[in-house]
Amino acid sequence: MKHRIVILGAGYAGAYVAGNLARRLSPKDIEITVVNAVPDFVQRMRLHQLAAGQDIEAPKLADVFAGTGIRLRLARVTGVDPERQVVATADVGGELGYDTLVYALGSHGDDCGVPGVAEHAFDIAARPSARRLRKLLDRWAEGGSVVVVGDGLTGIETATELAESRPGRSVTLVARGELGARLSAGARSHLRRACDRLRVIVLEHAGVEAVEATRVRCADGTAVTSDATVWTAGFTVDPIAAAGGLEVAANGQIIVDRTMRSVSHPNVYAIGDSAHAIGDNGLPLPMSCASAGHTGRQAVEAIVGRLTGRAIANTKLVYTYNHISLGRRDGILQPIDDEAQAKPTYVGGLKAARVKTAILTTALWATSHPTFGVPKRKHRLAATPDAVDGI
Ligand SMILES: Cc1cc2nc3c(=O)[nH]c(=O)nc-3n(C[C@H](O)[C@H](O)[C@H](O)COP(=O)(O)OP(=O)(O)OC[C@H]3O[C@@H](n4cnc5c(N)ncnc54)[C@H](O)[C@@H]3O)c2cc1C
C-alpha cells in the first residue's frame, strides 16, 4: 500500500508543500491528497484590494496541480483524529485516512471578544467578507463612512487602500496606541503623512469596546459614526486541531518542533499560520506569508528526509521585513531585528510599493507553480521510513 500524505489547506503554505513533495517523492510509493474548502487559490494578501474594488487573480487549484499527480478534494475539513489517523470532511466522502498529515488551514479574523464584531463588522481576513464589503461600498452613491479598527499591517493596508480607491468616502483608522507603534520613527512619520495625503482620519489611543450597526464605541466614551466597520484587530486559528487532541498553544496553533512536526503526534506536521513555530531568534514566527514559506520549506525537508531515510536539512526560520502597501503608489519596507523590533531604518514611497507588488506577484507565482525549480528526483521511500528518527 502507498504511503498516504494528506495536506489540509491549499493556501500559500499548503499548495507549496504539496507541489514540492510531489516533485521529490516517487509516485510509486506515495499518494498525495490536498483538501481545500474552495476550488481556487485565494490571495489573502490582496483581500484589502479586492474589498477596495480591484480584481485579483484566483487560479483554479485543479490547474495548479494539473500534471503533478496530486489529488484535489474540495471539501471543508471539520475535524482531525490523530489517534485513528483520519480527517473528517463535510462532503459525501466523510473521512480520509492518512499516514502523514500536513495541517495548513491558515487563520481567520478574531473578534477578540468585543461585542458586536461578529454581527456588524466586516472581516478582511476571508474572501466572502471582503466581497460583501466591496458590494456594500459599490452600492453607496457617494459619501458614506468606513471605520477600520486596528492599526496592525492589515488595518493600515486596508484603510489606505480604501481611501485611495474610493475617494469621497470618509475613512477612519482606529489605533489602540500611537499610530504604527511597531514601526521605526521614520516609518511612523511616513505613515502619518500618507494618511494625511489620503485623508484617512486617524483616531489614536482608542480601545474599541463595542461595534454597533452604525457606530463604533470606544472605552473613553468616544463614539464614531460608521456605515461599514472593518475589524482587523486580531487573527486566530480554527479550533479543529485543539478539538482533535493535538497539542496547541494558547492561541490554538499547533506546537511544532524545529522540523514542523507536531510535538504530540509525530506523523502530523503544521505549517503557515496554523503552526506555533519558533524562529531562529527563539521567538514564535508571526503569522505571515514569509513564515508560510519558511515553515513549508522546513516541513518538506523533514518529510522527505524521514520518509526516505535521508538526513534532514535545517532551513532558515526568520522574519526580517514588514512590507506594507499604502495604496498602489506608496508603501513602507520596515526591516526587523533579531528581537522582532523595527530597525531604525526604512524605505518608503513608490520604490517600497513596487517591491511589495513584486513580492505579491512572486508569492502568487510560486504558489500556483509549486513544482517549478524543484529538482525532479522522485526519491523512493525507505523500507522503514521513521527508523531514521528512532521512532
Ligand atoms: C488583507 C491581508 C493582507 C495581508 N498582507 C500580508 C503581507 O503583506 N505580508 C505577509 O507576510 N502576510 C500578509 N498577510 C497574512 C498572510 O495572508 C497569511 O499569513 C498567509 O495567508 C498564511 O498562509 P497559510 O497557507 O498558512 O494560510 P492561508 O493562505 O489562509 O491558506 C489556508 C487555506 O486553507 C483553506 N481552509 C481553511 N479552513 C479550511 C477548512 N476547514 N477546510 C478546508 N480548507 C480550509 C483555505 O481555503 C485556504 O486555501 C495578510 C493577510 C490579510 C488578510
Side-chain angles (χ1 to χ4, degrees):
M1 192 172 147
K2 290 187 183 180
H3 186 96
R4 298 160 303 168
I5 300 178
V6 172
I7 297 166
L8 306 183
Y12 293 100
Y16 171 86
V17 166
N20 275 255
L21 290 176
R23 188 87 173 167
R24 291 180 57 182
L25 294 170
S26 170
K28 294 193 177 94
D29 299 332
I30 56 145
E31 63 182 38
I32 299 177
T33 305
V34 174
V35 188
N36 201 62
V38 295
D40 46 4
F41 174 70
V42 177
Q43 292 193 69
R44 281 183 79 202
M45 288 196 287
R46 288 193 188 268
L47 286 181
H48 57 296
Q49 291 179 240
L50 181 73
Q54 300 159 33
D55 291 328
I56 61 173
E57 245 183 282
K60 294 277 168 233
L61 292 173
D63 296 336
V64 168
F65 297 132
T68 61
I70 294 168
R71 300 170 182 198
L72 176 62
R73 179 150 165 180
L74 294 179
R76 176 153 291 281
V77 174
T78 52
V80 287
D81 183 341
E83 305 306 332
R84 289 174 52 231
Q85 297 190 193
V86 292
V87 173
T89 58
D91 61 347
V92 279
E95 266 192 2
L96 190 61
Y98 64 83
D99 299 303
T100 296
L101 183 71
V102 182
Y103 189 108
L105 292 180
S107 63
H108 55 83
D110 182 3
D111 68 8
C112 307
V114 173
V117 173
E119 297 87 335
H120 303 299
F122 292 90
D123 158 17
I124 210 79
R127 187 169 57 180
S129 183
R131 279 181 173 155
R132 278 200 301 279
L133 175 59
R134 175 186 176 133
K135 275 193 185 145
L136 176 69
L137 298 178
D138 284 346
R139 280 205 300 273
W140 295 351
E142 55 187 47
S145 58
V146 182
V147 174
V148 178
V149 182
D151 71 328
L153 309 187
T154 309
I156 292 170
E157 290 198 327
T158 303
T160 51
E161 196 77 48
L162 290 175
E164 183 180 272
S165 293
R166 308 259 181 182
R169 319 289 186 210
S170 153
V171 178
T172 301
L173 177 58
V174 180
R176 183 181 283 281
E178 183 189 353
L179 175 67
R182 282 177 291 167
L183 300 173
S184 61
R188 275 202 305 277
S189 305
H190 187 102
L191 172 60
R192 205 171 279 281
R193 286 196 299 276
C195 287
D196 287 348
R197 174 173 53 79
L198 294 166
R199 298 177 198 276
V200 174
I201 302 160
V202 177
L203 187 61
E204 294 173 284
H205 306 288
V208 172
E209 64 171 25
V211 174
E212 298 170 359
T214 56
R215 63 179 192 164
V216 167
R217 272 199 295 112
C218 300
D220 66 358
T222 314
V224 189
T225 302
S226 176
D227 299 314
T229 301
V230 187
W231 186 261
T232 70
F235 288 84
T236 189
V237 298
D238 216 291
I240 289 174
L246 287 156
E247 195 167 330
V248 297
N251 67 356
Q253 286 176 314
I254 298 172
I255 302 177
V256 292
D257 65 14
R258 180 64 176 72
T259 69
M260 303 304 127
R261 190 184 218 183
S262 154
V263 294
S264 60
H265 292 82
N267 52 359
V268 176
Y269 291 78
I271 54 175
D273 286 1
S274 306
H276 181 77
I278 303 300
D280 294 340
N281 61 358
L283 299 169
L285 288 172
M287 290 184 185
S288 69
C289 189
S291 303
H294 289 311
T295 55
R297 264 188 290 283
Q298 181 59 77
V300 168
E301 292 303 328
I303 293 168
V304 172
R306 289 199 176 103
L307 293 183
T308 64
R310 285 175 170 73
I312 299 169
N314 262 9
T315 61
K316 270 194 310 190
L317 295 176
V318 293
Y319 187 78
T320 51
Y321 264 96
N322 284 327
H323 304 97
I324 310 165
S325 63
L326 304 170
R328 293 301 85 208
R329 293 180 289 281
D330 194 3
I332 290 173
L333 306 185
Q334 175 64 71
I336 305 293
D337 68 17
D338 277 351
E339 316 272 285
Q341 302 298 316
K343 289 186 181 175
T345 54
Y346 83 103
V347 178
L350 185 59
K351 185 175 173 189
R354 286 191 174 140
V355 171
K356 177 67 192 271
T357 302
I359 288 169
L360 296 175
T361 309
T362 308
L364 172 64
W365 203 88
T367 317
S368 51
H369 299 81
T371 57
F372 185 81
V374 184
K376 193 175 173 184
R377 295 227 175 81
K378 305 288 186 196
H379 294 304
R380 299 299 304 263
L381 262 56
T384 51
D386 270 336
V388 69
D389 250 31
I391 290 166

